Each structure stands twice: as C-alpha cells, then as structure tokens.
Amino acid sequence: MNLPLKTRMALWWNRTRKKSNRTIGLALRKERYPLSNLLVLLPKNPEHSRMARIFIQTLQNAIGPEGRIQVRYIAMRRNLEHVDSSINDRLITYSKEHVNRWGLLHKSFLEIIFTSQPEAVIDLNFDFDPISATIVQKSNAPMRIGFYTEESEKYYNILIERKGSEYLEIGFRNIQQLLGLT
C-alpha cells in the first residue's frame, strides 16, 4: 500500500487519540430486522463496482419493500457512473474538495455523514482506503465490516477474507447473514 507519509501519520494520530475504554458486545438476534440503520461505503476502484452493484441489489431485495432498514451509501463523486441509479436518493458523494491536506475527510463533511448514528458500517473496498477507514473509525458503530488487509485490522471488528471472485460472493453472503437479512 502506497499511502503518502502525511496520510499515514494522520491515520496514526487519529487512531491513538480516539482510544475507547468501553467494550462493545455483538450479538445475533432472532428479530427479522435486528438493525435499523446501515452505512455502506462503495468501492473506490471502478473495477469492483460490478460486485458492489450485485451486493446492493441483493441487500435491497433482502430488505424488501417495507424499508424498515435505513441504508445510506457513500461514494466518490467521480465514480457516479458506476453506481446504481436506484440508490441516488440515499447516496452521499465526496470529491477532492472534501479531503483535507492530510488526505482525510474534513470534519464538516463527516458531520454530514453522521446525521444519524449507524448501527453497522460496511466497507466494500477490497483494498485499504484511508478515507473509508476514517469514516469507519468516526462512526463508532458496534458492527464495522470490511475486507481483510493488515491495516484494516485496526479499524474493523469483522473482517472478510478476499481470495478471488468466488470468495467475494461468499463474503457478501456472509455480510448479509451478519446483518440478519438472510
């Protein structure tokens, strides 16, 4: 991973300042909709957009027409052509103007993202992304799901292995099971 030194330093600084003494317990519930507020971070890499689109479709199918779960999506503005237009009303986009000199999102933009507290944050980036890691860290969500990289161990409490396309499909199914949607 080739992150600029200033971005690595900013990530390290934010991680060491935000130590929390509280432990968060995770549990599976028998309720039909155990979660009511999800935040999904769409992949930065346009090549991974097809898999993300399939995940979004199955997520919407699992939620059903009742819409008891509020799902918001975050994507880079330059990737809008790869995003399914059916989620535009719940899509938050960012661009270079929302990124500070350290390569992380401005605090004011993070406040826009967290107008409501998510119960789960799902990062669909297969590789480590510092902006997504910052969003996950600031969310304080009890369930933070992402794909495994060495760096992501510090930010996510549930990691999905990523060894080829068949593993990604299994990983997406596992995410739905964790959310109680299957």
Side-chain angles (χ1 to χ4, degrees), residues 34-91:
L35 301 170
S36 62
N37 193 343
L38 300 177
L39 184 63
V40 179
L41 309 174
L42 300 177
K44 225 178 181 179
N45 190 339
E47 297 165 2
H48 301 142
S49 295
R50 186 186 68 77
M51 291 297 289
R53 206 178 281 170
I54 293 169
F55 174 75
I56 290 169
Q57 295 253 312
T58 55
L59 182 66
Q60 289 177 326
N61 290 340
I63 292 171
E66 302 109 28
R68 294 185 182 183
I69 299 176
Q70 177 189 0
V71 183
R72 291 176 297 139
Y73 301 92
I74 299 177
M76 285 187 70
R77 192 167 291 154
R78 72 173 188 206
N79 290 343
L80 279 178
E81 64 190 51
H82 304 289
V83 175
D84 188 3
S85 62
S86 66
I87 63 169
N88 282 348
D89 58 332
R90 295 163 282 155
L91 181 65

Side-chain angles (χ1 to χ4, degrees), residues 124-175:
L124 299 181
N125 284 293
F126 303 142
D127 300 317
F128 182 76
D129 176 42
I131 291 177
S132 296
T134 303
I135 293 170
V136 168
Q137 181 184 28
K138 300 288 184 193
S139 74
N140 292 325
M143 191 179 288
R144 299 176 309 278
I145 303 171
F147 287 94
Y148 179 80
T149 64
E150 227 174 275
E151 296 85 10
S152 59
E153 288 181 343
K154 301 168 186 121
Y155 298 94
Y156 305 94
N157 57 6
I158 300 173
L159 294 167
I160 306 293
E161 207 168 352
R162 54 178 185 98
K163 293 182 184 175
S165 63
E166 69 275 352
Y167 270 98
L168 295 178
E169 292 175 27
I170 293 169
F172 286 150
R173 270 190 258 131
N174 290 342
I175 290 172

